[in-house]
Amino acid sequence: MRAFIAGWLLVLAASVVTLASHAEAVPFSMLPKPHPLVIWHGLGDSAHSEGMESFMSQLKEAFPGLYVHSVTQDATSDAEDRRHGFFGHVNDQVQQACDQLAQIDELQGGFDAIGFSQGGQFLRAYVQRCNTPKVRNLITFGSQHMGIADLPACGPTDLLCRVAEAALRGGIYTDYAQSHLVSAQYYRNPKDPKAFAAYLDKNDFIKDINNEGTTTNATYAKNLASLENFVMLMFDKDTTVEPKQSSWFASYSVRNQSEGEAGRDPNPNEPTPLRQSSIYLDDRIGLRKLDRRGALKMELCHGIHMQIDPACQLKVFGKYVGTPSTGLDNAVATWIDHAWRWMLYNTTGLHVEDTAGLILTQTVLFLALFSVIRVSLALIVHAVRFVGRKRADDDVQSGPGPIHLA
């Protein structure tokens, strides 16, 4: 009995130690090792370029024990991997990433994901289409979630970009462009009725993952809504992404052929914000469900496209990346976690990752554990007393039977 009570006290002590861990730690975690991370680079970069290697080294230094994998389309050649950012069928590239990540042992318990520029919508496609292993937090920097209404300008010495640009002049919605030119596969210009009609007819990537087709894929919404957090960062001086608000799922209004240049929209040149758009209101891919539990974050970074300054980094690292795994790997635990996040956000406006939200979550967890242990001990004591009384009753010696007088 004493040993059993001592065991429960040890569990309580371990719980207190866990709850008193660093503020960056995610509640419920017993693992100090950071959750693994997967990165997908942007256009014009490669998985193991000098910049990417430096970035990964800095992350590993900041978060000891962090495993980082950079998605590549050609592990044998950095130049070829960079070329695949301009040329190739995006659907094939996403599937290759699905196969690649499924074979990495360190990722089997799940991982966080960072997508730079076009790598963001590619990783989102991974979540919606595959998600095995599962993504915990998805972070996208300057990504084109609602496509681009104009092609990005090429640098004067960027030969690959110039070649791709020349090929695009032959027609964005040709069969060749839609299966061989990466930028064409997320080109979406709703301000041009003819171009938008061609987009709906020919595109099979961004239209598909945004469920804009005649049929919708319910798995896409289910998988995206399973994220703990979807963090989207937009650069306020971004001129590479048109419109820059595409990073927050904003898009220009779709114009009809009969509406002309002005159209019916009073502000045709202003993108429709996410929460006023059909992709959100119809919850085509799970964004509204994420938002209702405070898991959809739209953060602003100051600077041009992909200029990630220290203030921008603080919005992500140590908060959504570099934190331990929660260990919530079954449906019931995940449901409890999502339910708590929903209740916390809708009653206090706090996220679990916020300092105040973390303190409140750990306080509630501590009180819950304390209550469970106290009730358990009370039940054990009651059971022991009951068994003791029963044994005492059994040990009572009965005397001779009643005396019968004649």
Side-chain angles (χ1 to χ4, degrees):
M1 177 64 189
R2 290 180 179 177
F4 194 83
I5 294 176
W8 275 109
L9 291 175
L10 285 174
V11 171
L12 178 60
S15 302
V16 172
V17 171
T18 301
L19 294 170
S21 59
H22 294 297
E24 294 89 343
V26 175
F28 315 113
S29 176
M30 295 292 288
L31 300 175
K33 193 173 182 180
H35 208 48
L37 175 66
V38 168
I39 300 171
W40 199 325
H41 63 82
L43 182 67
D45 206 348
S46 62
H48 296 285
S49 65
E50 183 178 348
M52 289 295 291
E53 286 291 346
S54 174
F55 173 70
M56 290 188 287
S57 295
Q58 291 174 27
L59 282 178
K60 291 176 182 178
E61 183 178 350
F63 306 106
L66 176 67
Y67 176 83
V68 185
H69 175 78
S70 187
V71 174
T72 178
Q73 297 298 312
D74 193 324
T76 64
S77 170
D78 219 36
E80 276 300 299
D81 186 46
R82 182 174 182 272
R83 189 185 71 82
H84 281 293
F86 292 97
F87 301 98
H89 197 172
V90 177
N91 288 336
D92 293 341
Q93 294 184 3
V94 171
Q95 185 57 53
Q96 182 175 333
C98 292
D99 297 339
Q100 182 181 132
L101 300 181
Q103 296 173 12
I104 300 174
D105 292 339
E106 291 85 352
L107 302 179
Q108 296 313 300
F111 58 91
D112 296 321
I114 295 178
F116 294 123
S117 195
Q118 69 180 20
Q121 59 261 31
F122 298 167
L123 276 172
R124 175 164 66 89
Y126 167 87
V127 173
Q128 294 177 207
R129 292 176 176 175
C130 309
N131 212 30
T132 304
K134 189 176 180 181
V135 174
R136 179 181 68 164
N137 296 319
L138 174 62
I139 300 100
T140 61
F141 285 90
S143 298
Q144 302 87 41
H145 290 297
M146 288 302 289
I148 52 175
D150 195 9
L151 296 171
C154 294
T157 60
D158 196 335
L159 180 60
L160 272 177
C161 184
R162 293 289 182 184
V163 172
E165 184 181 52
L168 285 167
R169 292 195 191 104
I172 290 176
Y173 293 114
T174 61
D175 291 338
Y176 174 82
Q178 288 298 306
S179 60
H180 290 81
L181 304 177
V182 171
S183 296
Q185 293 164 67
Y186 54 85
Y187 182 86
R188 179 186 181 277
N189 184 10
K191 297 170 72 174
D192 183 337
K194 290 183 179 179
F196 193 71
Y199 160 79
L200 292 176
D201 181 49
K202 293 289 188 177
N203 188 273
D204 65 356
F205 173 64
I206 201 74
K207 181 189 75 173
D208 177 67
I209 64 171
N210 286 348
N211 264 338
E212 289 187 286
T214 54
T215 59
T216 57
N217 190 325
T219 301
Y220 288 179
K222 179 182 177 183
N223 284 356
L224 198 67
S226 72
L227 292 170
E228 282 192 19
N229 296 285
F230 184 7
V231 186
M232 304 174 291
L233 297 105
M234 180 180 77
F235 298 94
D236 62 353
K237 294 180 175 61
D238 198 334
T239 57
T240 301
V241 178
E242 168 57 23
K244 63 185 178 184
Q245 293 90 342
S246 182
S247 300
W248 287 352
F249 277 91
S251 169
Y252 295 119
S253 299
V254 178
R255 299 187 189 179
N256 295 325
Q257 189 76 38
S258 60
E259 291 177 358
E261 283 298 315
R264 297 177 185 175
D265 192 332
N267 298 302
N269 294 317
E270 287 296 322
T272 302
L274 169 61
R275 293 184 177 93
Q276 298 174 24
S277 66
S278 61
I279 194 173
Y280 179 89
L281 295 174
D282 298 338
D283 206 17
R284 294 201 306 258
I285 61 172
L287 294 173
R288 189 173 182 178
K289 188 173 182 180
L290 282 168
D291 196 27
R292 284 179 170 176
R293 72 166 196 269
L296 188 66
K297 284 66 179 257
M298 292 180 281
E299 299 282 358
L300 187 66
C301 293
H302 299 291
I304 60 175
H305 188 66
M306 295 309 301
Q307 180 179 311
I308 306 174
D309 61 17
C312 185
Q313 294 176 26
L314 287 174
K315 298 176 185 290
V316 173
F317 303 108
K319 191 172 184 180
Y320 305 107
V321 172
T323 60
S325 171
T326 62
L328 299 176
D329 56 356
N330 63 72
V332 174
T334 300
W335 183 89
I336 293 172
D337 178 57
H338 286 179
W340 168 249
R341 288 170 179 270
W342 182 92
M343 185 171 65
L344 180 67
Y345 179 71
N346 286 277
T347 54
T348 66
L350 296 172
H351 303 114
V352 169
E353 292 74 20
D354 299 334
T355 301
L358 184 65
I359 293 172
L360 185 58
T361 300
Q362 291 182 337
T363 301
V364 170
L365 178 60
F366 176 80
L367 292 174
L369 286 172
F370 180 77
S371 299
V372 168
I373 293 172
R374 184 175 180 179
V375 170
S376 298
L377 288 173
L379 291 174
I380 293 168
V381 171
H382 179 76
V384 170
R385 288 177 177 173
F386 176 79
V387 171
R389 284 196 300 268
K390 190 173 186 307
R391 285 181 177 177
D393 292 342
D394 290 342
D395 290 341
V396 174
Q397 296 296 324
S398 59
I403 299 174
H404 298 281
L405 297 177

